[in-house]
Amino acid sequence: MKEFKVSHLLRYSLLLFFLIPYAIFLFYYKFSIDIDLSELLWALKNTLTQSTLTALIVTALSIPLSQGLILLPERLQTIVKRLLIVPQILPALYSILIAFSVLNPFPMGTMGIVFLFVLIDLGFATLMTYSVTTEKLGNMSVIGEVYSLGRLNFFKKIYFPLLKQDLIVNFFIIFIFCLSSFSIPLIVGGGRGTNLEVLIYEKIFVDQNWSAAFSLCAFQAMAIFFLSFFLLKNKQKDSEPFVAGNYLKSYVGLGVIIGYLGLYLGGYFIGLYKSFFYISFASMYVWDLYDAAIFTGKALAVYLTVNFIILVLWLLDYLNNKKFNLATNLISASTVLVGFTLYLAFPVTREYDLIKMTLAMSILFFPSLFKLFLQKPIEDLRQQILVAEVYGLSKPQIIIEIIFRQISKQMLLWVSFLIVWFISEYAVLKSLGVQTQTLGLVTEGFLSSYRLPLAYLMSFFILIYWVGALAVVSLILRVAYVAYKKLTI
Amino acid sequence: MSHIKNLRFKLDNFELDIPELNIPETGVTAIQGSSGSGKTTFLKTLIGLHQPSGWSWIFKGEELSRLSISKRKLGVVFQTYDLFPHLTAEENIFLILKARHEEQNHNEMHKQLQKYKSQLNLESCWKTLATNLSGGEKQRVALLRALVSNPRMLLLDEPFSALDSDLRVEARRTVKELIQQINIPVYLITHDQEDVNTLANHVIKMKAGKITQ
Amino acid sequence: MRHFIVFVVLVFGALTAFYYNHGDQVKNIEDKKIHVYASSSFIAKWGPGPELKELFEKQNIFKVEFVEISDMAMAIQKISFENDASVADVVLGIDQFDVTRVANKIKWRDIERNSGVKFVENLGPAAVEKTFVPYDWAPMSFVARKSLKTSVSSLKDLLAPELKNKIALQDPRTSSPGLQFLAWVFESKSGEDAIKYLKQMSKQAHSFSPSWSASYGLFKNNQSDLVFSYVTSPVYHLVEDKDDQFLSIETTEPLPVQVEFAGIPQTCKNCEAAEMFINFMLSPEAQKIIMQKNYMLPVIAHVKEATAFDALKVYKTLPIKFYEQSKLDKWINTWVEIRKNEGI
């Protein structure tokens, strides 16, 4: 009975943790439904147009691009895969700058927003399509070739029927990313691209209409929750060894990948190269940078520790209930709401910066990063987890020996995203009212005052810092595991 | 006799319906049935994966149906063996050894382990990662894991079905020799008559979720 | 698992206890400190904040701690929620519209100015406001590059076909300059003409950015040829970038004026020190720092001399007004309707 109660307490505490912003909002404001239907429909129209167009273009393009990726030898493939994820990692403002230098004049409004979303998400979508292709198609391309099916027939009869569900899931992942995006519609929309998230921002910051803001947040959160719950489920399937037949290779796709990376990374590196001529200007900010780097490091350590604790509690909850917490569907929470509510709840002075940052980023990033990187690999271990339970392994042993040891690569990826999103973040920190300078805020300061070369230099410094932080974290985990093994022998 | 009562369980379009069943608490009892007869559902219920309400399973005076999976202390060889692929054969065994045995019994268990290891001819693959073991080696490691886990009983779920036919004969003989050395009951889930003929002392037949014999 | 959960509960309990006890320890230090709320551009290394802080702390026993605010309405909302727990002593960056729209959410202290302060004439009613003290100002107009081929000398000229998608404006709901432009149109034209003009401008403009900095960035990145900004913006480029290619356009219509005020909330902790700080900001040395770092005009005379600001043209300006909330709401609602219906 006691065991039963503790597991329920854990389950609901985890869910409530991710609902803290809503609870704070209700604490300060009386709950009432207040939605201007015409305004909501207008924002929804923009949202649906932007998100649907982007998701369609990106999902469609990801097919030939994934085939371009398959064409590459393994080593080169690994490098290109890492490069394809860069647009997702870099803060949105870099993508905006790159886009402005590519398209001049830039089409502000819906077209501009869609262009930017496509620029940012195409690499990521390509990787998702590549992943489902290699997991599900096994030997089929070769068999199709052996029996002279023809490329078109292969796609019609084999590729699309088998991958249809997964491509739909990919579509909705991109759709959700776009739906909850804030900075791009705000800046590039030019006042014309108000989506739901921007409307929430306007209700809070412009109209101070809290009821309307809360109603919209609740509506958006429910929409995302249901999309995530019903559509983003991982279907269990034993993957067969993949053989890349010619029907799944595309030189055109490879050409587009090269063009895409050339455009994005080329744009970034040209900006970075030009910024090196301004290094002497950067010297006056050396001590500020030093202070920001130290504080960012401290904050990162606390943040990673808290996220690790959440992960362990999450897994304990999974082992108790044989399914993941409902909070895993609270992906893409409103950044505006989270920032604003925690700003209200905590004093503005710098002593509270650390706790505000840790809470906000954990609530915002944990569910989505978990769903992206760890959920499926852990679900794939369910039979082994059962065996371990049958043989009486304790829950900590199952977590460490069975789960962590087998998903160490995915965990490294998860940690690396936690780190880079944390250290480069500034939009949430601004709305939180964080007073201490972090690397992200220093970058934002340069960006908003149009000291662009310094902003580029900062972005490069952040990338180096990221690699360094990841190396330190990996070392700490290795040492911790060795110590754990020695203690348990 | 191990006594099962009021086991009724519905899963999708299938219903397990065993009002009463006595299974010997010694020797090898084969639970035989064709595909779809309910053997696997029955096995999963005994393991604790399915938790129907209102049923009872008394084994040597102890009510097992209320216990959690880990507390039932069963030794299970799954059809797919399910070794931990990232661990060597040795690590797979020692992980379970530590989990299932009190520290004071380790020495005794180590002696037994050496004996079984030798009988199962696992010396050559002892340090090999489980993912790199052959089918036969995986089966023997899975069996060793079950044997050293200090179980109340052994549950073997189609233990030979993944092996080639020539390996199966050899494997049956090995398992038979080992079973004769242990003093715990063995429940063998199988559809194969040869398995029954070679190993079983008693046979229970299942069809469409019911016991027919 | 139970042990782990107990550990987590203990950690959070310790953090909560720290949260509640921490306040007592810092109380003594807070007695000699004033908290000044200001925008990031004011507080940044290149803004006036650091030099003002250094100078003030040299002349007084009080320390200045800047608290960055990203949005005035939010900051005032937070002060209102915090009530007596608020640490705000001075709030900077309040403009004429904030005085009407958001400042009434909390009570402000009357500020006694030093007797020797003589404000410039342009400030009009802003100079005699009891609760808000002006500390900088600037007329607003369109900034362009000297290479702009199209001649612009009035609001009407901005509707020229050559300038389609070339004008960067700001959203009046989120940006003061944006609201300044709206007010300028309504003050310069009759009701219906103003609405007609705004409808045309909605199709003509390149964008309505959420902030001045976003729109100025578009201009600097050559996404637009004109941006609605401060007439002092070209001085910034001249001094900081050594670039003289920018100019402010003088129009036949008198230009709108932006004034920034400082205020002291009633809930201030070091109220007298806060007043000292505001009066310090009106001193010639402080005004010079603000002018040269903020790139806005000083509110007292004889500060611009022998600086790049001295050469700045004297523009014809609209009288400074504090508009009624209802008027501002009406203008903004008009703009919002145009935005929705004209497909902005």
Side-chain angles (χ1 to χ4, degrees):
Chain A
M1 194 61 176
K2 247 191 194 170
E3 188 76 39
F4 175 85
K5 277 185 185 158
V6 168
S7 75
H8 270 60
L9 180 68
L10 179 62
R11 174 141 272 233
Y12 295 119
S13 304
L14 278 172
L15 183 60
L16 285 171
F17 174 79
F18 292 100
L19 294 174
I20 284 174
Y22 300 95
I24 293 173
F25 201 102
L26 290 173
F27 176 78
Y28 281 101
Y29 302 107
K30 269 194 222 146
F31 175 68
S32 65
I33 306 270
D34 177 3
I35 297 183
D36 175 344
L37 207 56
S38 67
E39 200 172 42
L40 172 64
L41 286 173
W42 172 65
L44 262 181
K45 184 197 86 183
N46 289 333
T47 302
L48 285 173
T49 309
Q50 293 161 18
S51 306
T52 307
L53 265 175
T54 304
L56 260 173
I57 294 170
V58 151
T59 307
L61 282 178
S62 72
I63 297 170
L65 260 70
S66 65
Q67 291 163 20
L69 197 55
I70 288 172
L71 195 54
L72 293 170
E74 200 182 316
R75 262 206 185 147
L76 199 53
Q77 217 184 69
T78 310
I79 296 170
V80 171
K81 276 191 211 169
R82 291 200 178 129
L83 292 175
L84 282 172
I85 208 78
V86 167
Q88 270 284 335
I89 293 171
L90 287 181
L93 252 159
Y94 292 110
S95 302
I96 292 170
L97 288 172
I98 291 165
F100 280 177
S101 60
V102 163
L103 271 184
N104 194 355
F106 191 82
M108 304 294 272
T110 299
M111 282 304 122
I113 294 171
V114 170
F115 177 82
L116 257 163
F117 279 156
V118 168
L119 191 67
I120 291 173
D121 295 328
L122 183 57
F124 182 70
T126 301
L127 293 175
M128 287 199 294
T129 304
Y130 170 87
S131 172
V132 299
T133 306
T134 52
E135 272 173 28
K136 296 240 168 129
L137 287 184
N139 222 355
M140 311 234 175
S141 169
V142 173
I143 293 170
E145 256 188 281
V146 165
Y147 290 107
S148 310
L149 264 184
R151 190 184 274 259
L152 199 60
N153 233 357
F154 172 76
F155 274 89
K156 231 167 63 170
K157 298 271 175 15
I158 312 290
Y159 186 92
F160 283 116
L162 274 178
L163 297 189
K164 187 174 64 178
Q165 276 304 115
D166 298 277
L167 291 174
I168 290 174
V169 166
N170 291 356
F171 174 93
F172 278 109
I173 289 174
I174 302 297
F175 185 90
I176 288 171
F177 277 171
C178 298
L179 190 143
S180 51
S181 172
F182 169 65
S183 52
I184 289 170
L186 188 68
I187 295 170
V188 173
R192 296 180 171 95
T194 302
N195 68 353
L196 206 48
E197 186 74 6
V198 172
L199 192 60
I200 292 168
Y201 162 84
E202 288 176 1
K203 289 299 161 202
I204 292 176
F205 289 94
V206 175
D207 302 341
Q208 285 97 54
N209 185 343
W210 321 115
S211 301
F214 186 82
S215 307
L216 289 168
C217 279
F219 173 81
Q220 186 194 51
M222 279 195 302
I224 293 174
F225 183 93
F226 283 117
L227 272 174
S228 169
F229 185 80
F230 289 110
L231 291 167
L232 302 188
K233 278 185 181 170
N234 292 307
K235 292 214 171 89
Q236 309 306 330
K237 192 197 183 287
D238 296 324
S239 58
E240 293 158 29
F242 174 71
V243 181
N246 286 320
Y247 290 162
L248 287 175
K249 294 179 185 175
S250 166
Y251 284 97
V252 171
L254 182 62
V256 177
I257 288 180
I258 293 169
Y260 170 63
L261 288 176
L263 192 83
Y264 194 93
L265 298 175
Y268 175 73
F269 282 115
I270 288 171
L272 184 65
Y273 169 74
K274 285 182 188 166
S275 71
F276 281 123
F277 294 106
Y278 290 82
I279 277 193
S280 55
F281 286 97
S283 59
M284 65 190 259
Y285 303 105
V286 156
W287 289 115
D288 300 308
L289 197 57
Y290 174 78
D291 289 337
I294 297 291
F295 178 74
T296 304
K298 276 193 222 165
L300 183 63
V302 171
Y303 170 71
L304 288 177
T305 307
V306 166
N307 274 264
F308 184 75
I309 293 174
I310 297 174
L311 179 64
V312 171
L313 292 174
W314 198 269
L315 290 174
L316 285 171
D317 180 51
Y318 174 69
L319 294 177
N320 286 337
N321 297 291
K322 302 295 179 280
K323 56 186 176 185
F324 289 109
N325 198 292
L326 276 176
T328 198
N329 297 302
L330 290 172
I331 55 178
S332 289
S334 168
T335 49
V336 173
L337 180 77
V338 172
F340 171 61
T341 50
L342 292 176
Y343 173 70
L344 287 182
F346 287 89
V348 290
T349 49
R350 54 186 67 221
E351 291 87 28
Y352 299 92
D353 286 348
L354 206 59
I355 185 168
K356 281 194 288 195
M357 285 167 68
T358 304
L359 259 180
M361 310 279 221
S362 302
I363 290 170
L364 282 169
F365 298 152
F366 184 92
S368 49
L369 286 178
F370 180 85
K371 204 167 180 93
L372 266 175
F373 295 114
L374 300 181
Q375 186 166 321
K376 188 170 184 313
I378 294 171
E379 282 173 342
D380 288 345
L381 296 176
R382 69 195 183 295
Q383 183 66 9
Q384 288 185 48
I385 291 170
L386 171 66
V387 169
E389 278 184 334
V390 166
Y391 284 107
L393 261 68
S394 66
K395 290 191 175 80
Q397 275 184 306
I398 294 174
I399 289 172
I400 295 173
E401 296 288 355
I402 309 302
I403 297 178
F404 281 174
R405 278 190 67 178
Q406 291 191 85
I407 63 166
S408 54
K409 278 198 185 125
Q410 293 89 339
M411 281 190 63
L412 199 63
L413 205 53
W414 173 72
V415 164
S416 72
F417 265 77
L418 277 177
I419 294 173
V420 75
W421 282 6
F422 184 85
I423 62 180
S424 57
E425 176 55 52
Y426 55 81
V428 176
L429 301 190
K430 293 290 276 187
S431 53
L432 284 171
V434 165
Q435 298 302 314
T436 320
Q437 285 293 292
T438 64
L439 293 178
L441 285 174
V442 169
T443 311
E444 190 275 338
F446 290 143
L447 277 168
S448 59
S449 59
Y450 286 89
R451 287 165 168 82
L452 299 180
L454 295 178
Y456 269 107
L457 285 173
M458 275 305 300
S459 75
F460 187 62
F461 180 72
I462 284 175
L463 288 175
I464 297 171
Y465 194 93
W466 172 42
V467 170
L470 197 56
V472 168
V473 168
S474 305
L475 184 65
I476 291 173
L477 288 175
R478 259 182 249 270
V479 167
Y481 183 70
V482 166
Y484 159 80
K485 285 308 264 186
K486 283 205 161 27
L487 283 170
T488 51
I489 281 173
Chain B
M1 281 291 187
S2 169
H3 193 62
I4 289 173
K5 216 172 173 181
N6 293 328
L7 176 51
R8 285 180 181 87
F9 181 61
K10 206 164 184 174
L11 186 70
D12 296 332
N13 294 326
F14 179 82
E15 191 173 345
L16 196 64
D17 183 8
I18 303 173
E20 195 160 355
L21 175 65
N22 291 321
I23 313 178
E25 287 179 354
T26 56
V28 179
T29 306
I31 297 159
Q32 189 184 18
S34 56
S35 178
S37 59
K39 313 186 296 296
T40 307
T41 308
F42 180 58
L43 172 75
K44 285 183 176 177
T45 311
L46 295 183
I47 291 172
L49 204 55
H50 300 315
Q51 290 166 0
S53 55
W55 76 297
S56 161
W57 178 23
I58 301 200
F59 178 83
K60 290 194 174 164
E62 200 173 345
E63 174 60 74
L64 298 188
S65 65
R66 310 269 179 272
L67 296 180
S68 65
I69 295 174
S70 56
K71 291 207 160 44
R72 292 187 192 195
K73 286 186 72 180
L74 307 174
V76 186
V77 178
F78 291 91
Q79 194 171 2
T80 44
Y81 309 132
D82 293 309
L83 299 178
F84 304 127
H86 60 299
L87 303 177
T88 61
E90 179 182 22
E91 286 167 340
N92 264 274
I93 301 304
F94 275 97
L95 193 63
I96 302 318
L97 210 63
K98 274 185 234 171
R100 275 288 183 90
H101 289 273
E102 300 288 337
E103 212 173 302
Q104 55 264 35
N105 296 333
H106 275 184
N107 282 338
E108 183 58 40
M109 211 53 240
H110 273 254
K111 281 187 201 157
Q112 286 241 288
L113 169 64
Q114 295 311 315
K115 194 177 96 179
Y116 292 141
K117 185 174 133 192
S118 166
Q119 269 183 279
L120 287 163
N121 199 15
L122 289 171
E123 308 281 6
S124 57
C125 64
W126 196 232
K127 303 280 186 191
T128 308
L129 276 181
T131 196
N132 294 332
L133 296 172
S134 68
E137 287 167 341
K138 281 183 186 170
Q139 192 249 9
R140 297 200 302 280
V141 174
L143 183 59
L144 177 60
R145 182 172 66 178
L147 287 169
V148 301
S149 67
N150 196 21
R152 284 181 218 272
M153 68 192 75
L154 277 185
L155 294 166
L156 309 180
D157 179 18
E158 310 265 15
F160 312 110
S161 62
L163 300 175
D164 304 332
S165 53
D166 48 345
L167 278 176
R168 271 187 223 173
V169 173
E170 175 71 31
R172 281 188 202 110
R173 192 160 47 80
T174 308
V175 168
K176 182 169 182 167
E177 280 169 17
L178 275 166
I179 286 171
Q180 282 162 353
Q181 296 168 36
I182 58 175
N183 199 20
I184 53 173
V186 177
Y187 299 163
L188 172 66
I189 315 292
T190 185
H191 66 277
D192 191 316
Q193 190 59 44
E194 267 311 306
D195 291 349
V196 176
N197 294 343
T198 312
L199 296 167
N201 306 118
H202 321 278
V203 181
I204 293 170
K205 291 204 175 173
M206 278 188 80
K207 190 177 178 184
K210 291 180 167 54
I211 305 296
T212 57
Q213 185 186 310
Chain C
M1 179 178 109
R2 233 165 273 153
H3 292 127
F4 187 80
I5 291 173
V6 165
F7 165 73
V8 169
V9 166
L10 281 172
V11 165
F12 278 113
L15 283 172
T16 311
F18 170 78
Y19 174 86
Y20 282 109
N21 283 327
H22 187 77
D24 292 339
Q25 292 166 15
V26 299
K27 194 185 178 304
N28 288 338
I29 307 163
E30 297 298 306
D31 287 345
K32 294 273 181 296
K33 199 192 276 186
I34 52 167
H35 288 92
V36 177
Y37 283 30
S39 66
S40 55
S41 57
F42 195 92
I43 295 170
K45 206 179 177 85
W46 50 80
E51 275 190 46
L52 287 174
K53 173 181 155 87
E54 194 185 328
L55 194 57
F56 181 77
E57 286 176 358
K58 253 190 211 155
Q59 297 173 0
N60 297 279
I61 54 164
F62 293 96
K63 298 281 172 223
V64 172
E65 182 164 322
F66 285 113
V67 175
E68 187 187 314
I69 52 174
S70 52
D71 180 84
M72 183 59 65
M74 283 302 101
I76 293 188
Q77 174 78 69
K78 180 129 174 88
I79 295 170
S80 141
F81 278 135
E82 287 175 332
N83 219 346
D84 286 331
S86 168
V87 297
D89 294 306
V90 178
V91 179
L92 300 178
I94 303 168
D95 60 42
Q96 306 101 291
F97 305 116
D98 293 328
V99 167
T100 311
R101 290 191 306 166
V102 304
N104 57 9
K105 301 265 192 301
I106 62 173
K107 289 196 169 59
W108 300 85
R109 210 174 130 99
D110 284 354
I111 301 169
E112 201 160 314
R113 297 125 202 257
N114 287 341
S115 51
V117 171
K118 202 171 179 309
F119 289 103
V120 296
E121 276 176 23
N122 307 68
L123 289 178
V128 298
E129 244 292 321
K130 278 205 181 132
T131 44
F132 299 106
V133 174
Y135 63 88
D136 67 23
W137 70 287
M140 299 198 74
S141 182
F142 283 91
V143 172
R145 289 173 185 81
K146 286 178 181 166
S147 55
L148 181 71
K149 289 189 175 66
T150 313
S151 166
V152 175
S153 59
S154 69
L155 284 173
K156 185 173 166 213
D157 289 342
L158 293 168
L159 298 177
E162 302 80 41
L163 294 177
K164 189 168 171 64
N165 288 330
K166 299 255 189 261
I167 304 171
L169 290 170
Q170 300 87 16
D171 186 327
R173 299 168 311 151
T174 54
S175 161
S176 252
L179 191 47
Q180 284 285 4
F181 178 75
L182 204 63
W184 189 23
V185 171
F186 277 106
E187 290 287 18
S188 306
K189 298 178 181 297
S190 69
E192 279 309 310
D193 284 345
I195 292 172
K196 187 175 163 199
Y197 181 85
L198 287 172
K199 282 183 182 176
Q200 288 170 306
M201 184 52 86
S202 77
K203 290 182 186 137
Q204 179 78 343
H206 171 274
S207 54
F208 291 86
S209 298
S211 64
W212 168 83
S213 58
S215 63
Y216 208 84
L218 292 172
F219 170 70
K220 274 201 73 177
N221 273 281
N222 295 301
Q223 295 293 319
S224 69
D225 291 345
L226 293 124
V227 60
F228 188 66
S229 183
Y230 305 92
V231 301
T232 45
S233 296
V235 180
Y236 169 89
H237 291 290
L238 190 63
V239 173
E240 301 285 340
D241 302 335
K242 310 282 182 269
D243 188 345
D244 68 349
Q245 65 160 316
F246 298 93
L247 58 90
S248 301
I249 290 173
E250 186 173 18
T251 56
T252 49
E253 296 93 351
L255 302 180
V257 173
Q258 174 88 332
V259 184
E260 290 190 304
F261 297 88
I264 302 177
Q266 281 276 22
T267 49
C268 53
K269 297 288 170 293
N270 283 314
C271 306
E272 272 144 26
E275 217 169 80
M276 279 168 63
F277 182 79
I278 289 180
N279 278 300
F280 157 77
M281 284 179 75
L282 297 177
S283 66
E285 306 99 322
Q287 281 287 295
K288 195 160 194 173
I289 292 169
I290 293 170
M291 179 183 72
Q292 288 178 322
K293 294 285 189 179
N294 235 12
Y295 286 90
M296 295 283 277
L297 295 172
V299 294
I300 61 173
H302 308 302
V303 173
K304 283 192 294 181
E305 277 80 340
T307 69
F309 292 84
D310 209 8
L312 200 65
K313 210 186 282 189
V314 176
Y315 294 89
K316 221 169 22 210
T317 56
L318 287 170
I320 291 170
K321 266 188 197 177
F322 294 106
Y323 296 102
E324 277 167 21
Q325 175 82 51
S326 54
K327 197 167 213 169
L328 293 175
D329 287 345
K330 190 174 166 203
W331 288 347
I332 290 174
N333 288 338
T334 305
W335 186 87
V336 170
E337 281 311 307
I338 292 173
R339 185 177 80 139
K340 267 195 237 162
N341 296 330
E342 299 293 328
I344 295 182

